[in-house]
mmCIF file of all heavy atoms in Angstrom:
data_model
loop_
_atom_site.group_PDB
_atom_site.id
_atom_site.type_symbol
_atom_site.label_atom_id
_atom_site.label_comp_id
_atom_site.label_asym_id
_atom_site.label_seq_id
_atom_site.Cartn_x
_atom_site.Cartn_y
_atom_site.Cartn_z
ATOM 1 N N GLY C 1 3.605 6.733 -2.225
ATOM 2 C CA GLY C 1 4.280 6.145 -3.370
ATOM 3 C C GLY C 1 3.970 4.664 -3.522
ATOM 4 O O GLY C 1 3.746 4.181 -4.649
ATOM 5 N N LEU C 2 3.950 3.930 -2.408
ATOM 6 C CA LEU C 2 3.616 2.510 -2.455
ATOM 7 C C LEU C 2 2.201 2.307 -2.988
ATOM 8 O O LEU C 2 1.957 1.419 -3.819
ATOM 9 C CB LEU C 2 3.747 1.900 -1.064
ATOM 10 C CG LEU C 2 3.280 0.447 -0.917
ATOM 11 C CD1 LEU C 2 4.153 -0.482 -1.765
ATOM 12 C CD2 LEU C 2 3.310 0.016 0.554
ATOM 13 N N HIS C 3 1.279 3.139 -2.525
ATOM 14 C CA HIS C 3 -0.118 3.005 -2.945
ATOM 15 C C HIS C 3 -0.251 3.226 -4.457
ATOM 16 O O HIS C 3 -0.949 2.466 -5.150
ATOM 17 C CB HIS C 3 -0.975 4.012 -2.179
ATOM 18 C CG HIS C 3 -2.398 3.616 -2.058
ATOM 19 N ND1 HIS C 3 -3.319 4.331 -1.330
ATOM 20 C CD2 HIS C 3 -3.088 2.573 -2.583
ATOM 21 C CE1 HIS C 3 -4.497 3.749 -1.417
ATOM 22 N NE2 HIS C 3 -4.385 2.688 -2.168
ATOM 23 N N TYR C 4 0.411 4.251 -4.978
ATOM 24 C CA TYR C 4 0.356 4.504 -6.416
ATOM 25 C C TYR C 4 1.064 3.406 -7.194
ATOM 26 O O TYR C 4 0.624 3.016 -8.291
ATOM 27 C CB TYR C 4 0.965 5.868 -6.739
ATOM 28 C CG TYR C 4 -0.020 7.005 -6.617
ATOM 29 C CD1 TYR C 4 -0.075 7.787 -5.460
ATOM 30 C CD2 TYR C 4 -0.913 7.290 -7.644
ATOM 31 C CE1 TYR C 4 -0.983 8.811 -5.332
ATOM 32 C CE2 TYR C 4 -1.832 8.329 -7.530
ATOM 33 C CZ TYR C 4 -1.864 9.086 -6.373
ATOM 34 O OH TYR C 4 -2.778 10.102 -6.256
ATOM 35 N N ALA C 5 2.156 2.876 -6.662
ATOM 36 C CA ALA C 5 2.888 1.802 -7.349
ATOM 37 C C ALA C 5 2.011 0.566 -7.497
ATOM 38 O O ALA C 5 1.980 -0.070 -8.562
ATOM 39 C CB ALA C 5 4.163 1.465 -6.586
ATOM 40 N N VAL C 6 1.273 0.233 -6.443
ATOM 41 C CA VAL C 6 0.357 -0.911 -6.514
ATOM 42 C C VAL C 6 -0.698 -0.683 -7.585
ATOM 43 O O VAL C 6 -1.045 -1.591 -8.354
ATOM 44 C CB VAL C 6 -0.293 -1.158 -5.141
ATOM 45 C CG1 VAL C 6 -1.449 -2.153 -5.248
ATOM 46 C CG2 VAL C 6 0.741 -1.667 -4.139
ATOM 47 N N GLY C 7 -1.206 0.557 -7.675
ATOM 48 C CA GLY C 7 -2.196 0.873 -8.702
ATOM 49 C C GLY C 7 -1.623 0.805 -10.104
ATOM 50 O O GLY C 7 -2.235 0.228 -11.020
ATOM 51 N N PHE C 8 -0.447 1.394 -10.305
ATOM 52 C CA PHE C 8 0.171 1.397 -11.636
ATOM 53 C C PHE C 8 0.489 -0.028 -12.105
ATOM 54 O O PHE C 8 0.410 -0.331 -13.301
ATOM 55 C CB PHE C 8 1.444 2.241 -11.632
ATOM 56 C CG PHE C 8 1.202 3.709 -11.737
ATOM 57 C CD1 PHE C 8 1.716 4.578 -10.783
ATOM 58 C CD2 PHE C 8 0.454 4.253 -12.788
ATOM 59 C CE1 PHE C 8 1.484 5.949 -10.868
ATOM 60 C CE2 PHE C 8 0.226 5.607 -12.882
ATOM 61 C CZ PHE C 8 0.740 6.464 -11.919
ATOM 62 N N LEU C 9 0.853 -0.901 -11.182
ATOM 63 C CA LEU C 9 1.181 -2.275 -11.541
ATOM 64 C C LEU C 9 -0.055 -3.139 -11.752
ATOM 65 O O LEU C 9 0.061 -4.312 -12.139
ATOM 66 C CB LEU C 9 2.068 -2.895 -10.457
ATOM 67 C CG LEU C 9 3.485 -2.308 -10.344
ATOM 68 C CD1 LEU C 9 4.181 -2.840 -9.099
ATOM 69 C CD2 LEU C 9 4.293 -2.636 -11.594
ATOM 70 N N GLY C 10 -1.228 -2.563 -11.482
ATOM 71 C CA GLY C 10 -2.469 -3.303 -11.686
ATOM 72 C C GLY C 10 -2.804 -4.290 -10.597
ATOM 73 O O GLY C 10 -3.657 -5.170 -10.786
ATOM 74 N N TRP C 11 -2.152 -4.176 -9.446
ATOM 75 C CA TRP C 11 -2.409 -5.097 -8.352
ATOM 76 C C TRP C 11 -3.579 -4.631 -7.475
ATOM 77 O O TRP C 11 -4.017 -5.363 -6.592
ATOM 78 C CB TRP C 11 -1.160 -5.247 -7.482
ATOM 79 C CG TRP C 11 -0.002 -5.850 -8.217
ATOM 80 C CD1 TRP C 11 -0.061 -6.578 -9.381
ATOM 81 C CD2 TRP C 11 1.377 -5.782 -7.842
ATOM 82 N NE1 TRP C 11 1.191 -6.971 -9.760
ATOM 83 C CE2 TRP C 11 2.114 -6.501 -8.828
ATOM 84 C CE3 TRP C 11 2.075 -5.203 -6.802
ATOM 85 C CZ2 TRP C 11 3.483 -6.644 -8.787
ATOM 86 C CZ3 TRP C 11 3.452 -5.344 -6.752
ATOM 87 C CH2 TRP C 11 4.156 -6.055 -7.731
ATOM 88 N N GLY C 12 -4.050 -3.439 -7.675
ATOM 89 C CA GLY C 12 -5.165 -2.900 -6.907
ATOM 90 C C GLY C 12 -5.613 -1.586 -7.510
ATOM 91 O O GLY C 12 -4.989 -1.077 -8.454
ATOM 92 N N ALA C 13 -6.708 -1.051 -6.987
ATOM 93 C CA ALA C 13 -7.232 0.204 -7.506
ATOM 94 C C ALA C 13 -6.279 1.355 -7.194
ATOM 95 O O ALA C 13 -5.567 1.348 -6.190
ATOM 96 C CB ALA C 13 -8.606 0.491 -6.901
ATOM 97 N N MET C 14 -6.278 2.345 -8.077
ATOM 98 C CA MET C 14 -5.505 3.556 -7.823
ATOM 99 C C MET C 14 -6.130 4.323 -6.658
ATOM 100 O O MET C 14 -7.339 4.240 -6.423
ATOM 101 C CB MET C 14 -5.494 4.436 -9.072
ATOM 102 C CG MET C 14 -4.709 3.868 -10.236
ATOM 103 S SD MET C 14 -2.929 3.892 -9.936
ATOM 104 C CE MET C 14 -2.606 5.659 -10.012
ATOM 105 N N PRO C 15 -5.336 5.093 -5.908
ATOM 106 C CA PRO C 15 -5.914 5.947 -4.866
ATOM 107 C C PRO C 15 -6.990 6.858 -5.452
ATOM 108 O O PRO C 15 -6.801 7.464 -6.501
ATOM 109 C CB PRO C 15 -4.708 6.750 -4.377
ATOM 110 C CG PRO C 15 -3.533 5.892 -4.685
ATOM 111 C CD PRO C 15 -3.871 5.183 -5.969
ATOM 112 N N GLY C 16 -8.130 6.890 -4.791
ATOM 113 C CA GLY C 16 -9.245 7.690 -5.281
ATOM 114 C C GLY C 16 -10.153 6.928 -6.221
ATOM 115 O O GLY C 16 -11.246 7.386 -6.529
ATOM 116 N N GLY C 17 -9.727 5.741 -6.669
ATOM 117 C CA GLY C 17 -10.558 4.931 -7.538
ATOM 118 C C GLY C 17 -11.396 3.957 -6.742
ATOM 119 O O GLY C 17 -11.415 3.963 -5.514
ATOM 120 N N VAL C 18 -12.115 3.097 -7.455
ATOM 121 C CA VAL C 18 -12.924 2.082 -6.798
ATOM 122 C C VAL C 18 -12.490 0.724 -7.313
ATOM 123 O O VAL C 18 -11.915 0.596 -8.392
ATOM 124 C CB VAL C 18 -14.430 2.290 -7.052
ATOM 125 C CG1 VAL C 18 -14.907 3.578 -6.427
ATOM 126 C CG2 VAL C 18 -14.736 2.287 -8.558
ATOM 127 N N GLY C 19 -12.766 -0.295 -6.518
ATOM 128 C CA GLY C 19 -12.427 -1.643 -6.900
ATOM 129 C C GLY C 19 -11.603 -2.338 -5.840
ATOM 130 O O GLY C 19 -10.940 -1.685 -5.029
ATOM 131 N N PRO C 20 -11.635 -3.662 -5.820
ATOM 132 C CA PRO C 20 -10.924 -4.428 -4.789
ATOM 133 C C PRO C 20 -9.416 -4.231 -4.859
ATOM 134 O O PRO C 20 -8.835 -4.084 -5.927
ATOM 135 C CB PRO C 20 -11.309 -5.875 -5.119
ATOM 136 C CG PRO C 20 -12.562 -5.785 -5.916
ATOM 137 C CD PRO C 20 -12.461 -4.510 -6.688
ATOM 138 N N ASN C 21 -8.802 -4.237 -3.696
ATOM 139 C CA ASN C 21 -7.342 -4.178 -3.582
ATOM 140 C C ASN C 21 -6.927 -5.183 -2.515
ATOM 141 O O ASN C 21 -6.910 -4.865 -1.324
ATOM 142 C CB ASN C 21 -6.878 -2.777 -3.212
ATOM 143 C CG ASN C 21 -5.359 -2.675 -3.127
ATOM 144 O OD1 ASN C 21 -4.654 -3.672 -3.250
ATOM 145 N ND2 ASN C 21 -4.851 -1.479 -2.910
ATOM 146 N N PRO C 22 -6.598 -6.406 -2.912
ATOM 147 C CA PRO C 22 -6.269 -7.432 -1.914
ATOM 148 C C PRO C 22 -5.006 -7.135 -1.120
ATOM 149 O O PRO C 22 -4.752 -7.771 -0.094
ATOM 150 C CB PRO C 22 -6.099 -8.707 -2.770
ATOM 151 C CG PRO C 22 -5.793 -8.209 -4.147
ATOM 152 C CD PRO C 22 -6.534 -6.916 -4.286
ATOM 153 N N LEU C 23 -4.204 -6.184 -1.576
ATOM 154 C CA LEU C 23 -2.958 -5.859 -0.883
ATOM 155 C C LEU C 23 -3.120 -4.709 0.118
ATOM 156 O O LEU C 23 -2.145 -4.352 0.791
ATOM 157 C CB LEU C 23 -1.874 -5.480 -1.903
ATOM 158 C CG LEU C 23 -1.447 -6.570 -2.888
ATOM 159 C CD1 LEU C 23 -0.406 -6.018 -3.853
ATOM 160 C CD2 LEU C 23 -0.897 -7.775 -2.149
ATOM 161 N N LEU C 24 -4.318 -4.147 0.218
ATOM 162 C CA LEU C 24 -4.476 -2.908 0.984
ATOM 163 C C LEU C 24 -4.070 -3.074 2.446
ATOM 164 O O LEU C 24 -3.345 -2.239 2.996
ATOM 165 C CB LEU C 24 -5.922 -2.412 0.882
ATOM 166 C CG LEU C 24 -6.185 -1.022 1.441
ATOM 167 C CD1 LEU C 24 -5.370 0.030 0.695
ATOM 168 C CD2 LEU C 24 -7.673 -0.686 1.356
ATOM 169 N N LEU C 25 -4.530 -4.133 3.078
ATOM 170 C CA LEU C 25 -4.185 -4.340 4.490
ATOM 171 C C LEU C 25 -2.679 -4.514 4.648
ATOM 172 O O LEU C 25 -2.074 -3.974 5.588
ATOM 173 C CB LEU C 25 -4.918 -5.558 5.039
ATOM 174 C CG LEU C 25 -4.575 -5.946 6.488
ATOM 175 C CD1 LEU C 25 -4.919 -4.812 7.447
ATOM 176 C CD2 LEU C 25 -5.317 -7.231 6.891
ATOM 177 N N TRP C 26 -2.056 -5.245 3.719
ATOM 178 C CA TRP C 26 -0.620 -5.478 3.819
ATOM 179 C C TRP C 26 0.171 -4.200 3.546
ATOM 180 O O TRP C 26 1.233 -3.986 4.133
ATOM 181 C CB TRP C 26 -0.204 -6.586 2.856
ATOM 182 C CG TRP C 26 -0.871 -7.877 3.189
ATOM 183 C CD1 TRP C 26 -1.866 -8.504 2.481
ATOM 184 C CD2 TRP C 26 -0.637 -8.688 4.349
ATOM 185 N NE1 TRP C 26 -2.251 -9.655 3.114
ATOM 186 C CE2 TRP C 26 -1.518 -9.803 4.261
ATOM 187 C CE3 TRP C 26 0.225 -8.593 5.426
ATOM 188 C CZ2 TRP C 26 -1.552 -10.794 5.235
ATOM 189 C CZ3 TRP C 26 0.192 -9.582 6.396
ATOM 190 C CH2 TRP C 26 -0.686 -10.663 6.294
ATOM 191 N N GLU C 27 -0.347 -3.348 2.661
ATOM 192 C CA GLU C 27 0.279 -2.038 2.458
ATOM 193 C C GLU C 27 0.285 -1.253 3.770
ATOM 194 O O GLU C 27 1.307 -0.674 4.172
ATOM 195 C CB GLU C 27 -0.473 -1.244 1.388
ATOM 196 C CG GLU C 27 -0.378 -1.788 -0.022
ATOM 197 C CD GLU C 27 -1.250 -0.977 -0.968
ATOM 198 O OE1 GLU C 27 -1.198 0.275 -0.910
ATOM 199 O OE2 GLU C 27 -1.995 -1.584 -1.750
ATOM 200 N N PHE C 28 -0.874 -1.228 4.417
ATOM 201 C CA PHE C 28 -1.006 -0.486 5.673
ATOM 202 C C PHE C 28 -0.082 -1.059 6.745
ATOM 203 O O PHE C 28 0.717 -0.338 7.354
ATOM 204 C CB PHE C 28 -2.459 -0.518 6.134
ATOM 205 C CG PHE C 28 -2.687 0.038 7.512
ATOM 206 C CD1 PHE C 28 -2.595 1.401 7.744
ATOM 207 C CD2 PHE C 28 -2.985 -0.802 8.576
ATOM 208 C CE1 PHE C 28 -2.804 1.919 9.020
ATOM 209 C CE2 PHE C 28 -3.191 -0.303 9.851
ATOM 210 C CZ PHE C 28 -3.101 1.059 10.066
ATOM 211 N N LEU C 29 -0.178 -2.370 6.973
ATOM 212 C CA LEU C 29 0.623 -2.986 8.034
ATOM 213 C C LEU C 29 2.114 -2.892 7.729
ATOM 214 O O LEU C 29 2.930 -2.658 8.630
ATOM 215 C CB LEU C 29 0.208 -4.447 8.206
ATOM 216 C CG LEU C 29 -1.206 -4.697 8.735
ATOM 217 C CD1 LEU C 29 -1.489 -6.189 8.797
ATOM 218 C CD2 LEU C 29 -1.399 -4.061 10.105
ATOM 219 N N GLY C 30 2.484 -3.064 6.466
ATOM 220 C CA GLY C 30 3.897 -2.982 6.099
ATOM 221 C C GLY C 30 4.475 -1.608 6.333
ATOM 222 O O GLY C 30 5.583 -1.476 6.892
ATOM 223 N N MET C 31 3.737 -0.574 5.934
ATOM 224 C CA MET C 31 4.232 0.784 6.131
ATOM 225 C C MET C 31 4.259 1.159 7.608
ATOM 226 O O MET C 31 5.169 1.867 8.066
ATOM 227 C CB MET C 31 3.390 1.783 5.345
ATOM 228 C CG MET C 31 3.571 1.708 3.841
ATOM 229 S SD MET C 31 5.302 1.829 3.301
ATOM 230 C CE MET C 31 5.836 3.338 4.093
ATOM 231 N N VAL C 32 3.293 0.685 8.381
ATOM 232 C CA VAL C 32 3.301 0.942 9.825
ATOM 233 C C VAL C 32 4.507 0.252 10.462
ATOM 234 O O VAL C 32 5.197 0.839 11.317
ATOM 235 C CB VAL C 32 1.994 0.461 10.475
ATOM 236 C CG1 VAL C 32 2.099 0.484 12.004
ATOM 237 C CG2 VAL C 32 0.825 1.335 10.031
ATOM 238 N N ALA C 33 4.793 -0.981 10.043
ATOM 239 C CA ALA C 33 5.933 -1.710 10.610
ATOM 240 C C ALA C 33 7.253 -1.029 10.250
ATOM 241 O O ALA C 33 8.114 -0.821 11.121
ATOM 242 C CB ALA C 33 5.927 -3.158 10.110
ATOM 243 N N LEU C 34 7.431 -0.677 8.977
ATOM 244 C CA LEU C 34 8.678 -0.029 8.564
ATOM 245 C C LEU C 34 8.823 1.354 9.197
ATOM 246 O O LEU C 34 9.883 1.712 9.714
ATOM 247 C CB LEU C 34 8.724 0.073 7.038
ATOM 248 C CG LEU C 34 8.893 -1.248 6.279
ATOM 249 C CD1 LEU C 34 8.762 -1.023 4.783
ATOM 250 C CD2 LEU C 34 10.241 -1.882 6.609
ATOM 251 N N GLY C 35 7.747 2.140 9.123
ATOM 252 C CA GLY C 35 7.797 3.474 9.719
ATOM 253 C C GLY C 35 7.975 3.413 11.221
ATOM 254 O O GLY C 35 8.733 4.202 11.807
ATOM 255 N N GLY C 36 7.294 2.452 11.860
ATOM 256 C CA GLY C 36 7.431 2.306 13.304
ATOM 257 C C GLY C 36 8.832 1.913 13.708
ATOM 258 O O GLY C 36 9.361 2.399 14.716
ATOM 259 N N ALA C 37 9.468 1.029 12.920
ATOM 260 C CA ALA C 37 10.846 0.615 13.228
ATOM 261 C C ALA C 37 11.803 1.798 13.122
ATOM 262 O O ALA C 37 12.703 1.976 13.958
ATOM 263 C CB ALA C 37 11.267 -0.509 12.288
ATOM 264 N N TRP C 38 11.615 2.622 12.077
ATOM 265 C CA TRP C 38 12.503 3.776 11.880
ATOM 266 C C TRP C 38 12.305 4.815 12.978
ATOM 267 O O TRP C 38 13.263 5.272 13.615
ATOM 268 C CB TRP C 38 12.243 4.376 10.494
ATOM 269 C CG TRP C 38 13.275 5.381 10.073
ATOM 270 C CD1 TRP C 38 14.589 5.413 10.420
ATOM 271 C CD2 TRP C 38 13.059 6.508 9.229
ATOM 272 N NE1 TRP C 38 15.218 6.487 9.830
ATOM 273 C CE2 TRP C 38 14.299 7.168 9.089
ATOM 274 C CE3 TRP C 38 11.942 7.009 8.554
ATOM 275 C CZ2 TRP C 38 14.434 8.332 8.318
ATOM 276 C CZ3 TRP C 38 12.090 8.147 7.779
ATOM 277 C CH2 TRP C 38 13.329 8.801 7.669
ATOM 278 N N LEU C 39 11.041 5.192 13.219
ATOM 279 C CA LEU C 39 10.778 6.160 14.290
ATOM 280 C C LEU C 39 11.138 5.577 15.647
ATOM 281 O O LEU C 39 11.669 6.270 16.525
ATOM 282 C CB LEU C 39 9.305 6.566 14.276
ATOM 283 C CG LEU C 39 8.899 7.756 13.420
ATOM 284 C CD1 LEU C 39 7.403 7.986 13.517
ATOM 285 C CD2 LEU C 39 9.649 9.009 13.826
ATOM 286 N N GLY C 40 10.832 4.281 15.835
ATOM 287 C CA GLY C 40 11.128 3.647 17.112
ATOM 288 C C GLY C 40 12.615 3.661 17.416
ATOM 289 O O GLY C 40 13.033 3.873 18.559
#
């Protein structure tokens, strides 16, 4: 959902599309941190 939201808002390419997404690393790290905190 986060990945699609970033695409819909025009902040990065849609999943499956091409083009730069400067937020991609932060999407990954943010979801790992939140998911890790919950599972942890």
Side-chain angles (χ1 to χ4, degrees):
L2 173 64
H3 205 175
Y4 274 98
V6 169
F8 280 125
L9 292 171
W11 297 341
M14 291 289 290
V18 295
N21 182 355
L23 297 178
L24 189 61
L25 176 61
W26 298 109
E27 292 176 46
F28 172 72
L29 293 178
M31 290 307 306
V32 169
L34 290 173
W38 192 30
L39 271 179

